[in-house]
Amino acid sequence: MATSESSAGATTISEEMRGEAESQGLLTLGVEEEYLLVDAVEPRAVEAVEEVFDLVPDDLRESVQHEFQRSQIETASPPQLELSGLYNALQRQRAGIAAAAAAAGARLVAVGAAPAIGPNTRVVDNPRYHRMRERFGDLAPGAGLCGMHVHVSIPDSETGVQILNHLRPWLPIFQAATANSPLAGGHDTGYSSWRSVMWERWPTVGPAPYLQSFEHYETLVADLEASGAMLDEGMLYWYARLAARYPTVEIRMGDVCPSLDDTLLLAALARALVSTLLNDVLDGKPAPDVPHPLLVAAHWRAAKDGLEGLNIDMATREPRPAWRLVRQLFDYVRPELDRHGDLEMATILMGRLRSHGTGAARQRAILSQQGTVADVVDWLARTTAGAAPR
């Protein structure tokens, strides 16, 4: 759900990495992932976060924090320049927290929304979360919504706002690629990302508006706080925003991905896209002012179809196969994938995603083979921990 402004102190970049990035003209990359905690045997979510937190290894504690509900936990990778470093950091986090969950009698599951029937879980005992619950009421029933966010470094906030404008047309296809919550309450919802549907009930969720400047951005944030629609800047839930504490653009992709292959691919594409758009901003190219209703429609389509159906080509405003739009994105950012040293790995991971589909497609494949919701959760737990076949 990402109700906090940012994750733990491990997201601070070292001076050595900052210098290396600046000298080579490269952008750093970081990922936040939110997970669901489920029972060790049954597929239902459990309020186990405090027990899991107590068992997290000391070397991971700075990377882990509570989320909104007691059946959730969140991690943030340290900033990285290389995909291999990002993979290693995320793998250590997933494996360490999965082991802590097992020791606490639970399982760690990377899924956008709770697939199985279960009781609503309580919010974490945190003053801010209690204020949110009091003000916004029952907007987050169930066991919690789990997303993935990618942070890409930017030179300054004014440039970052212009990058946000250029990002707007591309974000629905990222949302489609992360679709990983087709099930809720023990049945198929008919959506590839049910989390997206539930998430949009919050008043500040949606595409970022077209922004005139950083001053315009700050004014909107202040106005939204004054309206009561959010408690603070951490509740600015646009699909892309400026991070409150770090010099990054935060792309709020959609559902957390079941496998690190998918996470790594989308993070690489996000960095390459921001780098490509940064060049456009520096060259003075105007961002396309895509109509807000069309963006809303494209995000709805992403939630409904994932990558297995259609989405909207923002250049022609016509529906096209979502996979073709992913390929178009890949080709568009290829030079920056190459410049950051990510092209070979991204090409391999793109092939894997094309062959096995999104998390939503894989969950439905299990059910189509006479599997149950419990079988889906078993697969998700194994994949999250890195034990399931890719």
Side-chain angles (χ1 to χ4, degrees), residues 152-186:
V152 183
S153 61
I154 53 174
D156 56 75
S157 297
E158 196 65 55
T159 303
V161 163
Q162 300 310 315
I163 290 172
L164 291 181
N165 287 337
H166 283 264
L167 275 171
R168 296 167 78 240
W170 296 99
L171 297 183
I173 203 61
F174 278 101
Q175 182 183 358
T178 65
N180 185 37
S181 53
L183 310 180

Side-chain angles (χ1 to χ4, degrees), residues 41-329:
V41 178
E42 300 178 9
R44 58 179 173 81
V46 292
E47 294 187 354
V49 67
E50 300 302 341
E51 294 84 350
V52 174
F53 216 88
D54 288 343
L55 294 168
V56 169
D58 290 342
D59 62 339
L60 293 180
R61 285 191 175 275
E62 285 192 346
S63 302
V64 182
Q65 70 172 22
H66 292 85
E67 242 303 319
F68 190 57
Q69 290 178 258
R70 300 186 190 192
S71 54
Q72 296 176 281
I73 197 164
E74 180 181 4
T75 66
S77 74
Q80 302 290 334
L81 277 175
E82 297 181 358
L83 281 187
S84 59
L86 180 62
Y87 176 84
N88 290 336
L90 292 172
Q91 184 183 49
R92 285 180 60 250
Q93 289 172 353
R94 285 192 176 207
I97 301 170
R107 289 178 289 173
L108 188 75
V109 173
V111 67
I117 297 173
N120 292 350
T121 60
R122 295 170 292 172
V123 301
V124 168
D125 189 13
N126 174 293
R128 182 171 181 270
Y129 294 161
H130 288 307
R131 290 198 305 274
M132 290 174 64
R133 184 68 177 83
E134 289 166 6
R135 179 174 297 183
F136 298 100
D138 199 19
L139 285 185
L145 306 174
C146 300
M148 166 190 172
H149 311 134
V150 175
H151 288 258
V152 183
S153 61
I154 53 174
D156 56 75
S157 297
E158 196 65 55
T159 303
V161 163
Q162 300 310 315
I163 290 172
L164 291 181
N165 287 337
H166 283 264
L167 275 171
R168 296 167 78 240
W170 296 99
L171 297 183
I173 203 61
F174 278 101
Q175 182 183 358
T178 65
N180 185 37
S181 53
L183 310 180
H187 71 277
D188 192 323
T189 64
Y191 281 79
S192 295
S193 175
W194 186 243
R195 169 194 168 277
S196 296
V197 178
M198 295 294 97
W199 183 226
E200 287 171 4
R201 296 177 299 179
W202 289 83
T204 57
V205 172
Y210 196 93
L211 300 158
Q212 302 304 318
S213 63
F214 180 54
E215 181 181 4
H216 183 205
Y217 182 96
E218 290 187 305
T219 298
L220 283 175
V221 170
D223 288 346
L224 287 168
E225 287 187 43
S227 76
M230 61 189 201
L231 295 179
D232 49 44
E233 192 172 351
M235 288 189 68
L236 186 68
Y237 297 143
W238 294 341
Y239 296 133
R241 68 182 186 185
L242 303 183
R245 297 183 184 178
Y246 304 105
T248 63
V249 164
E250 180 185 356
I251 300 176
R252 303 168 64 79
M253 295 266 182
D255 298 347
V256 64
C257 294
S259 75
L260 283 183
D261 280 359
D262 298 347
T263 300
L264 212 64
L265 171 63
L266 294 169
L269 290 174
R271 173 166 65 176
L273 178 59
V274 170
S275 188
T276 301
L277 299 178
L278 174 59
N279 293 333
D280 288 347
V281 170
L282 296 177
D283 289 342
K285 295 181 181 178
D289 191 0
V290 180
H292 185 83
L294 187 62
L295 286 174
V296 171
H299 281 287
W300 172 82
R301 196 83 203 219
K304 185 70 171 66
D305 290 5
L307 287 184
E308 284 67 45
L310 301 175
N311 209 292
I312 300 171
D313 185 331
M314 291 299 170
T316 65
R317 302 192 181 185
E318 296 177 352
R320 295 179 62 192
W323 274 109
R324 190 179 300 173
L325 297 177
V326 175
R327 185 75 245 179
Q328 180 177 299
L329 168 64

